[in-house]
Amino acid sequence: MIDDSLTAYQNEQLRKTPDRFHRYMYDRLAWESRMFGLVGPRGVGKSTLLLQHLAASPDRERSLYISADTMYLTTHTLVELADTFVKYGGVRLYIDEVHKYKNWSRELKQIYDTHESLKVVFTGSSILDIIEGEADLSRRAPVYHIQGLSFREYLALFHQIDLPVYSLEQILKHEETAVLDKVEHPLFYFKQYLQTGYYPFSNEPDFALRIEQIVRQTIESDIAQYADLKASTARKLIQLLGVISGIAPMKPNADSLSHEIGVSKNNIPDYLVYLEKAGMIGQLRDNTGGLRGLGKVEKVYIDNPTLMTVLAYGNPDTGNLRETFFYNQMRVNNNVLSSRVSDFAIGDYTFEVGGKKKGNKQIENVANGIVVKDDIEYGFLNVIPLWALGLNY
């Protein structure tokens, strides 16, 4: 039999799970596949997503949700749990924060190979641990990535304003103006979103303190565990993030950054990759790599506008915040690259991001040049409002 403490924990978590709003990844996940993983930064709603699916599943009575740091797994293995669960008719196993279990990848592989009828979903707050698992799960379990709330999702979750997703092409044709029937003044909500709206818990007390805790846990626990870092090195990463937050977006300079935090310049590229994969920063690349995400790094950003606002103690640079929002929102569905003549390039389009007074001068001789303006409600010709890009996912 399944331990009563596990089913009690599951029922308590289900009782607290909201059911009105689903994250954008909910309908993208291959729920009927035998095994897959969902990874992303801490605090973006992975646990809630799993519980929502369990609650709505026709197999609910034959499903089990556990957290990998449960006391039960200190005296039992995941393999033992799966064996017992299947023996008593279990068909769906949801494992949250699987990276907290030491041999997770090896045992998931064994579960996959042993129980063909069992569907397994696992999540991990640390992207690093999930990707670098000891056993080769790539052929068995695809890994999906999720990021924080889009502006569209923020409106749905916190203001009960439900809007459709608009593709980049639709936004460039100004089709998003149809949503102004539902949200007359998007700029009012947009400014709130930039400050706190990226995380689903933004309406909770001590929001900024919780963000700071997430940063420390991500660096001191997730990254440190993956990279086998000493406590002193983890502190250097926190210091590095602080330096970046004061000057991002920035052209990465290993000499300058190494001098700032007192480490070898040879370590800086690895440190930036750790912070990027863990959802603390974003690195904008050019197209020299041939594959998405493999080009030369041209700029380093704080990962999202809310994190940037918190790290800047509520007073981020407005221009930098606009660029951060553009890169953060558009990278989910688009291959965003650096532009040689302006801010960003996506496919055949070149984007210049600025305030409502931003002109066309920098891209006037560029084919398919687009001006993205903040502080405007409507777009026209090759000008689109910045807030509209938050409807892309």
Side-chain angles (χ1 to χ4, degrees):
M1 293 288 291
I2 297 299
D3 191 281
D4 289 342
S5 66
L6 297 180
T7 55
Y9 175 77
Q10 170 182 284
N11 292 334
E12 177 63 17
Q13 296 305 306
L14 285 171
R15 186 185 65 79
K16 298 184 294 186
T17 300
D19 59 3
R20 193 195 75 84
F21 170 78
H22 289 166
R23 290 299 319 279
Y24 75 99
M25 283 299 297
Y26 188 90
D27 292 326
R28 298 188 184 188
L29 297 175
W31 294 107
E32 295 308 311
S33 63
R34 288 183 56 196
M35 182 179 290
F36 70 85
L38 177 66
V39 302
R42 289 176 177 261
V44 298
K46 299 183 297 297
S47 303
T48 298
L49 193 150
L50 260 61
L51 287 162
Q52 287 174 332
H53 186 266
L54 191 163
S57 172
D59 299 318
R60 175 171 174 169
E61 299 305 315
R62 302 172 69 190
S63 301
L64 179 65
Y65 168 90
I66 66 165
S67 178
D69 61 355
T70 176
M71 287 296 295
Y72 177 85
L73 291 179
T74 62
T75 55
H76 301 78
T77 67
L78 272 176
V79 170
E80 289 172 348
L81 173 64
D83 290 345
T84 302
F85 183 54
V86 171
K87 186 183 299 183
Y88 283 94
V91 296
R92 289 185 184 273
L93 180 59
Y94 303 81
I95 309 171
D96 204 9
E97 298 190 296
V98 73
H99 61 281
K100 293 184 177 180
Y101 182 82
K102 185 176 180 180
N103 296 315
W104 64 269
S105 57
R106 186 182 298 111
E107 293 197 28
L108 284 182
K109 176 180 178 293
Q110 184 174 339
I111 291 170
Y112 181 95
D113 292 341
T114 304
H115 300 293
E116 293 186 5
S117 63
L118 182 64
K119 293 180 172 61
V120 179
V121 182
F122 59 91
T123 74
S125 294
S126 171
I127 297 175
L128 306 175
D129 269 344
I130 296 294
I131 293 175
E132 301 294 337
E134 295 175 4
D136 180 15
L137 283 174
S138 60
R139 292 179 293 106
R140 297 169 174 82
V143 174
Y144 298 86
H145 297 257
I146 184 172
Q147 72 170 38
L149 299 176
S150 67
F151 179 47
R152 183 191 70 85
E153 290 183 301
Y154 164 79
L155 290 172
L157 178 59
F158 293 109
H159 299 284
Q160 292 71 57
I161 300 173
D162 295 316
L163 305 177
V165 172
Y166 285 84
S167 69
L168 177 58
E169 292 294 337
Q170 288 177 304
I171 295 171
L172 295 178
K173 294 176 182 177
H174 309 298
E175 294 182 21
E176 85 288 343
T177 56
V179 310
L180 294 175
D181 292 336
K182 290 186 176 181
V183 50
E184 292 186 19
H185 300 295
L187 295 178
F188 170 76
Y189 300 103
F190 184 57
K191 299 307 179 185
Q192 294 178 347
Y193 169 81
L194 293 177
Q195 293 177 355
T196 62
Y198 189 73
Y199 296 94
F201 56 87
S202 67
N203 62 344
E204 296 181 7
D206 299 320
F207 171 73
L209 178 60
R210 183 167 176 186
I211 294 295
E212 293 176 7
Q213 291 173 340
I214 284 177
V215 170
R216 288 195 171 275
Q217 290 169 349
T218 297
I219 294 175
E220 295 177 349
S221 177
D222 297 346
I223 295 178
Q225 179 181 339
Y226 159 73
D228 194 22
L229 300 180
K230 298 178 181 178
S232 59
T233 306
R235 288 194 293 271
K236 292 293 185 182
L237 279 181
I238 293 176
Q239 188 179 352
L240 177 61
L241 182 64
V243 170
I244 294 171
S245 70
I247 55 179
M250 52 165 279
K251 176 82 173 179
N253 184 307
D255 288 323
S256 175
L257 291 174
S258 65
H259 177 74
E260 284 281 349
I261 66 172
V263 299
S264 168
K265 69 176 183 179
N266 295 328
N267 292 332
I268 294 297
D270 286 341
Y271 289 177
L272 292 177
V273 169
Y274 297 161
L275 290 172
E276 179 184 30
K277 288 187 176 182
M280 296 289 100
I281 66 171
Q283 297 196 86
L284 179 67
R285 295 169 169 84
D286 63 19
N287 62 357
T288 58
L291 294 174
R292 183 172 181 173
L294 294 182
K296 177 184 176 184
V297 176
E298 293 294 335
K299 279 187 179 181
V300 177
Y301 290 84
I302 294 300
D303 181 75
N304 62 79
T306 297
L307 179 59
M308 182 179 182
T309 299
V310 172
L311 293 176
Y313 302 101
N315 190 32
D317 178 84
T318 301
N320 295 344
L321 193 68
R322 291 163 178 160
E323 286 191 37
T324 299
F325 171 79
F326 181 101
Y327 181 46
N328 172 268
Q329 298 285 283
M330 299 311 295
R331 70 188 182 192
V332 171
N333 292 327
N334 308 278
N335 186 19
V336 184
L337 300 171
S338 65
S339 169
R340 296 178 181 177
V341 296
S342 189
D343 294 323
F344 303 97
I346 300 176
D348 295 329
Y349 296 101
T350 299
F351 296 86
E352 177 75 10
V353 180
K356 64 180 179 181
K357 295 183 179 180
K358 171 65 75 173
N360 289 320
K361 184 175 181 180
Q362 195 160 346
I363 58 171
E364 61 184 355
N365 296 319
V366 177
N368 297 317
I370 306 295
V371 180
V372 182
K373 292 187 178 185
D374 194 7
D375 300 317
I376 64 171
E377 291 187 346
Y378 293 87
F380 55 93
L381 299 178
N382 72 327
V383 176
I384 60 174
L386 182 63
W387 65 264
L389 298 175
L391 305 179
N392 194 228
Y393 73 89

